[in-house]
Amino acid sequence: MKLQPILRGIRNADRDYKLIEPGDSIAVALSGGKDSMVLFLALSMYQKFQGQDFKLYGIHVDVGFEKFEHETMKNFAKEHNLELYIQKTQIYDILKKKTNNSGKIQCSLCSQFKKGVIFDKARELGCNKIALGHHGDDAIETLFLNMIHGSKIATFLPKQYMSRMDMTMIRPLVYLREKDIIRACERNNIPAVKRVCPNDGFTQREDIKQKLYKFYEEYPEAEDNFLRALYNEKQVSLWQKE
C-alpha cells in the first residue's frame, strides 16, 4: 500500500489538533465513498505507528437506497481485516414522505438521521470518537456556503466535542485535498461504492465545488491559500465594533 501522503496528512492533523489519544475507540462513518474508504484503511495503518494505541471500527448506515453495493464495502473490509458494521434503516422511506417544495429529499434531514444512527452504534461499540472523511476541499466549500447562505465566516472543526452526545468528532483528512485522495485510490485500487442518492450532483455544495474549480483555473495560488487561511490564526482581521 502506497498511502504515505495520506498518512502524513493524518499525522500532521493529529499533531496539530490532538485528534487521537491512547486508549481511544474510534468509529469511522463509512459512506462507501472514496474519502471514507481511504480514511478507514489509512487509520488502520496509522494504528501501527509507534505510540498509536486505539481501537477502530467502521459503521455504515444503510439508508435504504436501491442498488447500493454493500458487497464492495464488505469485501474491502474483509480484504484488509477491518471491523465493519452495516446498520439497516428505513431512512429513505421517511425522507420520501418529507420532501422539500421542489419534491426532492432533504439532505440536511438525511444527514441528521444518519448521524443519529452512527452515534447510537458507536456508543454500543464503546467508542468515544467518530472519524469523518471530510477533507480540506470540503472545509473550503463549507466556508463559502456559510458566507453565502449564512452570513458567517465559519467552517467545520478538525475536532469537536458533542456534549449532548458525549462524543468527539474528528476529521483526520482536513490537511488533504480531494486530488490527494483520488490519487491514493487509483494507486492502491481502493474501491468506492457508486452513488445512488437521487440528489447526487444537484446540491448547493456541488455547485460551489464547480465554481471553485473554475476560480482555481484563473487563480491557481488560491487553491492552497484558501486552505492555509483556515488555520492561519495570526492573520485573522475582521471588523470589531467599538
Side-chain angles (χ1 to χ4, degrees):
M1 281 289 168
K2 299 179 180 179
L3 288 179
Q4 286 85 354
I6 304 297
L7 290 168
R8 190 180 308 117
I10 290 175
R11 182 180 58 198
N12 290 341
D14 185 20
R15 176 200 63 208
D16 289 346
Y17 304 108
K18 302 294 186 291
L19 303 181
I20 301 173
E21 299 168 296
D24 278 346
S25 289
I26 302 172
V28 176
L30 196 71
S31 69
K34 63 184 186 308
D35 305 331
S36 61
M37 296 284 267
V38 165
L39 177 61
F40 197 17
L41 180 58
L43 283 179
S44 74
M45 297 173 69
Y46 194 57
Q47 280 181 303
K48 299 176 176 62
F49 279 36
Q50 185 176 1
Q52 295 300 330
D53 174 27
F54 62 93
K55 296 179 181 178
L56 186 67
Y57 309 92
I59 301 175
H60 170 73
V61 179
D62 180 358
V63 175
F65 294 136
E66 295 180 3
K67 300 180 181 179
F68 191 91
E69 302 170 3
H70 293 104
E71 292 304 314
T72 300
M73 287 189 298
K74 291 178 181 177
N75 293 337
F76 178 77
K78 184 176 181 180
E79 178 184 355
H80 296 287
N81 196 29
L82 302 171
E83 197 166 344
L84 171 65
Y85 296 87
I86 296 178
Q87 299 300 107
K88 292 187 175 296
T89 72
Q90 296 179 321
I91 291 175
Y92 188 39
D93 291 335
I94 299 172
L95 294 174
K96 287 187 290 186
K97 297 176 182 177
K98 297 181 178 292
T99 56
N100 60 21
N101 294 333
S102 301
K104 294 182 178 180
I105 64 173
Q106 301 180 59
C107 296
S108 58
L109 189 60
C110 180
S111 176
Q112 182 180 336
F113 285 147
K114 289 193 295 184
K115 187 179 293 184
V117 174
I118 290 173
F119 272 103
D120 287 343
K121 185 61 181 179
R123 276 196 295 265
E124 181 186 319
L125 292 170
C127 295
N128 63 313
K129 291 179 179 176
I130 294 175
L132 305 176
H134 298 140
H135 48 67
D137 289 298
D138 291 325
I140 294 168
E141 292 158 17
T142 299
L143 174 68
F144 277 89
L145 287 168
N146 277 328
M147 287 193 291
I148 293 168
H149 300 288
S151 67
K152 59 182 179 180
I153 302 175
T155 189
F156 53 70
L157 299 174
K159 180 180 179 181
Q160 184 177 12
Y161 176 66
M162 311 293 287
S163 58
R164 189 169 64 87
M165 301 289 188
D166 190 27
M167 190 79 67
T168 298
M169 298 175 71
I170 61 173
R171 295 177 170 92
L173 301 181
V174 286
Y175 281 163
L176 292 154
R177 310 306 295 252
E178 186 172 26
K179 60 187 178 184
D180 299 322
I181 294 166
I182 292 173
R183 191 177 300 119
C185 289
E186 291 173 346
R187 290 180 175 177
N188 297 281
N189 295 316
I190 297 174
V193 179
K194 183 180 178 181
R195 296 179 178 179
V196 293
C197 171
N199 282 2
D200 187 45
F202 301 98
T203 63
Q204 291 178 343
R205 180 171 293 277
E206 183 62 28
D207 182 55
I208 202 70
K209 180 194 292 285
Q210 296 305 320
K211 285 180 169 60
L212 282 168
Y213 283 156
K214 293 178 181 178
F215 190 82
Y216 295 152
E217 289 177 1
E218 187 170 356
Y219 302 98
E221 69 276 13
E223 188 170 6
D224 287 333
N225 284 338
F226 282 169
L227 184 58
R228 290 194 187 102
L230 296 181
Y231 57 84
N232 190 3
E233 301 173 67
K234 296 180 180 179
Q235 296 299 320
V236 176
S237 181
L238 298 174
W239 299 352
Q240 299 289 334
K241 293 182 179 179
E242 295 186 8

